[in-house]
Amino acid sequence: MSTSVKKGNCGPRVPVDDAGESRAADGAGQPPPAAPRRRRPAEPAGNPRRSRTLWLVFLVAAAAIGWSLHGTGVDVASLAAGWEGAREIAVGLFPPDMDGDLLRSVGDAVIETLQISLAALFFGTVMGLLLAVLMAGNIGAPAWLASSARLIATVFRSVPELLWALVFVAMIGLGPAAGVYAISLHAAGLLAKLVSEQLEAVDPAPVEAMRLTGASRKATGVLAVIPQARNNIASLVLYQWECNIRSSAIVGFVGAGGIGQSLGISMRLFRYQELATLMIALLLLVIGVDQISRLLRRRMGAATR
């Protein structure tokens, strides 16, 4: 039996026999070719909806900034009007007072400021880490306990150190102890928020692996969550130490000890040369603490110069 190829008006060629019957594509013949794939339409170069959103955000931000500048009275004219007073203060700062008795009192104030910052760092870190562990979602603390810890941390950091210092000065009197308690509470609230976010940002794979093995919540947090975030936590604690130095200078204005108390006295008595000496001492103290922090972070593997 001979076969021929029959051409149709449309579709592929199909082999047929003399009787006009087509062969089945069951192995002897070839299956019909697959239908061509449809090409996806080319995506537009820019998303109009996204562009409109960006422009809207930009306009809202610009309006908010303009409203804030107008409401606070910030302009070049106000700076120019106060330039004369700023020049008098700047001239009065030089040369700094280098009297021997003053330098000894400044040294004592610097030591007291350092003691306040370290004591506040200790109490603030202990309280802050405890609150952070309770707040972190991947640790798995009970909901009521996590909510309570979050509320306490919010209260601690919402109240400024200066207001906490006024409260403790009224409670226990003037002195560095009031400054330690005031800075500790604010530092605890701030560290609780930042450390809890670092704990929640760790790689979830090791955490889930430990939970699948049947590990308890405490073991999972100690062995899988905290080790991943320990370097970042250490960096936050060291930065908080630097913040405590600056905060101790602020709370000293209300009698909470440290170099801030001497700064307040010098400013109220218009002793600008003495004020310059105190400012230099505070600057050197902050630079020293920053260098120590960088050294410790480098020891922990941070890429610092």
Coordinates of all heavy atoms in Angstrom, one line a residue, residues 153-196:
A153 N 9.6 49.2 79.0 CA 10.7 49.8 78.2 C 10.2 51.1 77.6 O 11.0 52.0 77.5 CB 11.1 48.8 77.1
T154 N 9.0 51.2 77.1 CA 8.5 52.4 76.5 C 8.5 53.5 77.5 O 8.8 54.7 77.2 CB 7.1 52.1 75.9 OG1 7.2 51.1 75.0 CG2 6.6 53.4 75.2
V155 N 8.0 53.2 78.7 CA 8.0 54.3 79.8 C 9.4 54.7 80.1 O 9.7 55.9 80.2 CB 7.3 53.7 81.0 CG1 7.4 54.7 82.2 CG2 5.8 53.4 80.7
F156 N 10.3 53.8 80.2 CA 11.7 54.1 80.6 C 12.3 55.1 79.6 O 13.0 56.1 79.9 CB 12.6 52.9 80.7 CG 12.4 52.1 82.0 CD1 13.0 50.9 82.2 CD2 11.6 52.6 83.0 CE1 12.9 50.2 83.4 CE2 11.4 52.0 84.2 CZ 12.0 50.8 84.4
R157 N 12.2 54.8 78.3 CA 12.9 55.6 77.3 C 12.0 56.8 76.9 O 12.6 57.7 76.2 CB 13.2 54.8 76.0 CG 12.0 54.3 75.2 CD 12.5 53.7 73.9 NE 11.4 53.2 73.1 CZ 10.8 52.0 73.2 NH1 11.3 51.1 74.1 NH2 9.8 51.7 72.5
S158 N 10.8 56.9 77.2 CA 10.0 58.0 76.8 C 10.2 59.2 77.7 O 10.1 60.4 77.3 CB 8.5 57.7 76.9 OG 8.2 56.7 75.9
V159 N 10.6 59.0 78.9 CA 10.9 60.1 79.9 C 12.4 60.5 79.7 O 13.3 59.6 79.8 CB 10.7 59.6 81.3 CG1 11.0 60.8 82.3 CG2 9.2 59.2 81.5
P160 N 12.7 61.7 79.4 CA 14.1 62.1 79.2 C 14.9 61.9 80.5 O 14.4 61.9 81.6 CB 14.0 63.6 78.8 CG 12.6 63.8 78.4 CD 11.8 62.8 79.2
E161 N 16.3 61.8 80.3 CA 17.1 61.7 81.5 C 17.0 62.8 82.4 O 17.1 62.7 83.6 CB 18.6 61.5 81.0 CG 18.9 60.3 80.1 CD 18.9 60.7 78.7 OE1 18.2 61.6 78.3 OE2 19.7 60.0 78.0
L162 N 16.9 64.0 81.9 CA 16.8 65.2 82.7 C 15.6 65.2 83.6 O 15.7 65.6 84.8 CB 16.7 66.5 81.8 CG 16.9 67.8 82.5 CD1 18.3 67.9 83.2 CD2 16.8 69.0 81.6
L163 N 14.5 64.7 83.1 CA 13.3 64.6 84.0 C 13.4 63.5 85.0 O 13.0 63.7 86.2 CB 12.1 64.3 83.1 CG 10.7 64.3 83.8 CD1 10.5 65.6 84.6 CD2 9.6 64.1 82.8
W164 N 14.0 62.4 84.6 CA 14.3 61.3 85.6 C 15.3 61.8 86.7 O 15.1 61.5 87.9 CB 15.0 60.1 84.9 CG 14.1 59.2 84.2 CD1 14.1 58.8 82.9 CD2 12.9 58.5 84.7 NE1 13.1 57.9 82.6 CE2 12.4 57.7 83.7 CE3 12.3 58.4 86.0 CZ2 11.3 56.9 83.9 CZ3 11.2 57.6 86.2 CH2 10.7 56.9 85.1
A165 N 16.2 62.7 86.3 CA 17.2 63.2 87.2 C 16.5 64.1 88.2 O 16.8 64.1 89.5 CB 18.3 64.0 86.5
L166 N 15.5 64.9 87.8 CA 14.8 65.8 88.7 C 14.0 64.9 89.7 O 13.9 65.3 90.9 CB 13.8 66.7 87.9 CG 14.5 67.8 87.1 CD1 13.4 68.5 86.2 CD2 15.1 68.8 88.0
V167 N 13.4 63.8 89.2 CA 12.7 62.9 90.1 C 13.6 62.4 91.2 O 13.2 62.4 92.4 CB 12.0 61.8 89.3 CG1 11.3 60.8 90.2 CG2 10.9 62.4 88.3
F168 N 14.7 61.9 90.8 CA 15.6 61.2 91.8 C 16.3 62.2 92.6 O 16.6 61.9 93.8 CB 16.6 60.3 91.0 CG 16.1 59.0 90.5 CD1 15.9 58.9 89.2 CD2 15.7 58.0 91.4 CE1 15.3 57.7 88.7 CE2 15.2 56.8 90.9 CZ 15.0 56.7 89.6
V169 N 16.6 63.4 92.2 CA 17.1 64.5 93.0 C 16.1 64.8 94.1 O 16.5 65.0 95.3 CB 17.5 65.7 92.2 CG1 17.7 66.9 93.1 CG2 18.8 65.5 91.4
A170 N 14.8 64.9 93.8 CA 13.8 65.1 94.8 C 13.7 63.9 95.7 O 13.3 64.1 96.9 CB 12.5 65.4 94.1
M171 N 14.0 62.7 95.3 CA 13.8 61.5 96.1 C 15.0 61.4 97.1 O 14.8 61.2 98.3 CB 13.7 60.3 95.3 CG 12.3 60.2 94.5 SD 12.3 58.8 93.4 CE 12.6 57.4 94.5
I172 N 16.2 61.4 96.5 CA 17.4 61.0 97.3 C 18.4 62.2 97.5 O 19.4 62.1 98.2 CB 18.2 59.9 96.7 CG1 18.7 60.3 95.3 CG2 17.3 58.6 96.6 CD1 19.6 59.2 94.6
G173 N 18.1 63.4 96.9 CA 18.9 64.5 97.1 C 20.0 64.7 96.0 O 20.1 63.9 95.1
L174 N 20.8 65.8 96.1 CA 21.8 66.1 95.1 C 22.9 65.0 95.2 O 23.2 64.4 96.2 CB 22.3 67.5 95.3 CG 21.3 68.6 95.3 CD1 22.0 69.9 95.7 CD2 20.7 68.8 93.9
G175 N 23.6 64.9 94.0 CA 24.7 64.0 94.0 C 24.7 63.0 92.8 O 23.7 62.9 92.1
P176 N 25.8 62.3 92.6 CA 25.9 61.5 91.4 C 25.0 60.3 91.5 O 24.7 59.7 90.4 CB 27.4 61.0 91.5 CG 27.8 61.2 92.9 CD 27.1 62.3 93.4
A177 N 24.6 59.8 92.6 CA 23.7 58.7 92.7 C 22.4 58.9 91.9 O 21.8 58.1 91.2 CB 23.3 58.3 94.1
A178 N 21.9 60.2 92.0 CA 20.6 60.5 91.3 C 20.9 60.4 89.8 O 20.0 60.0 89.0 CB 20.2 61.9 91.6
G179 N 22.1 60.8 89.3 CA 22.4 60.7 87.9 C 22.5 59.3 87.4 O 22.1 59.0 86.3
V180 N 23.1 58.4 88.3 CA 23.2 57.0 87.9 C 21.8 56.4 87.7 O 21.5 55.7 86.7 CB 24.0 56.2 89.0 CG1 23.9 54.7 88.7 CG2 25.4 56.7 89.0
Y181 N 20.9 56.7 88.6 CA 19.5 56.1 88.5 C 18.8 56.7 87.3 O 18.1 55.9 86.6 CB 18.7 56.4 89.8 CG 19.3 55.7 91.0 CD1 19.3 56.4 92.2 CD2 19.9 54.5 91.0 CE1 19.8 55.8 93.4 CE2 20.5 53.9 92.1 CZ 20.4 54.6 93.3 OH 21.0 54.0 94.4
A182 N 19.0 58.0 87.1 CA 18.2 58.6 85.9 C 18.7 58.1 84.6 O 17.9 57.7 83.7 CB 18.4 60.1 86.0
I183 N 20.0 58.0 84.4 CA 20.6 57.5 83.1 C 20.3 56.0 83.0 O 20.1 55.5 81.8 CB 22.1 57.8 83.1 CG1 22.3 59.3 83.1 CG2 22.7 57.3 81.8 CD1 23.8 59.7 83.2
S184 N 20.3 55.3 84.1 CA 20.1 53.8 84.0 C 18.7 53.5 83.4 O 18.6 52.6 82.5 CB 20.2 53.2 85.3 OG 21.6 53.3 85.8
L185 N 17.7 54.2 83.9 CA 16.3 53.9 83.4 C 16.2 54.2 81.9 O 15.6 53.4 81.2 CB 15.3 54.7 84.2 CG 15.2 54.3 85.7 CD1 14.1 55.1 86.4 CD2 14.9 52.8 85.8
H186 N 16.7 55.4 81.5 CA 16.6 55.7 80.1 C 17.4 54.8 79.2 O 16.9 54.3 78.1 CB 17.0 57.2 79.9 CG 16.7 57.7 78.5 ND1 17.5 57.5 77.4 CD2 15.6 58.3 78.0 CE1 17.0 58.1 76.4 NE2 15.8 58.6 76.7
A187 N 18.6 54.4 79.7 CA 19.4 53.5 78.9 C 18.8 52.1 78.8 O 18.8 51.4 77.8 CB 20.8 53.4 79.5
A188 N 18.1 51.7 79.9 CA 17.4 50.4 79.9 C 16.3 50.3 78.8 O 16.2 49.4 78.1 CB 16.9 50.0 81.3
G189 N 15.5 51.4 78.8 CA 14.4 51.4 77.8 C 14.9 51.5 76.4 O 14.4 50.8 75.5
L190 N 16.0 52.2 76.1 CA 16.6 52.3 74.8 C 17.2 51.0 74.4 O 17.0 50.5 73.2 CB 17.6 53.4 74.7 CG 18.1 53.8 73.3 CD1 16.9 54.3 72.5 CD2 19.1 54.9 73.5
L191 N 18.0 50.4 75.2 CA 18.7 49.1 74.9 C 17.6 48.0 74.7 O 17.8 47.1 73.9 CB 19.6 48.7 76.0 CG 21.0 49.5 76.0 CD1 21.8 49.1 77.2 CD2 21.8 49.2 74.7
A192 N 16.6 48.0 75.5 CA 15.5 47.0 75.4 C 14.9 47.0 74.0 O 14.8 45.9 73.3 CB 14.5 47.2 76.4
K193 N 14.7 48.2 73.4 CA 14.1 48.3 72.1 C 15.1 47.8 71.0 O 14.8 47.0 70.2 CB 13.6 49.7 71.8 CG 13.1 49.9 70.4 CD 12.7 51.3 70.2 CE 12.3 51.6 68.7 NZ 11.2 50.6 68.2
L194 N 16.3 48.4 71.1 CA 17.3 48.1 70.0 C 17.8 46.6 70.1 O 17.9 46.0 69.0 CB 18.5 49.0 70.2 CG 18.2 50.5 70.0 CD1 19.4 51.4 70.2 CD2 17.6 50.8 68.7
V195 N 18.0 46.1 71.3 CA 18.5 44.7 71.4 C 17.4 43.7 71.0 O 17.7 42.7 70.3 CB 19.0 44.4 72.8 CG1 19.3 43.0 73.0 CG2 20.2 45.3 73.1
S196 N 16.2 44.0 71.3 CA 15.1 43.1 70.9 C 14.9 43.1 69.4 O 14.7 42.0 68.8 CB 13.7 43.5 71.6 OG 13.3 44.8 71.1

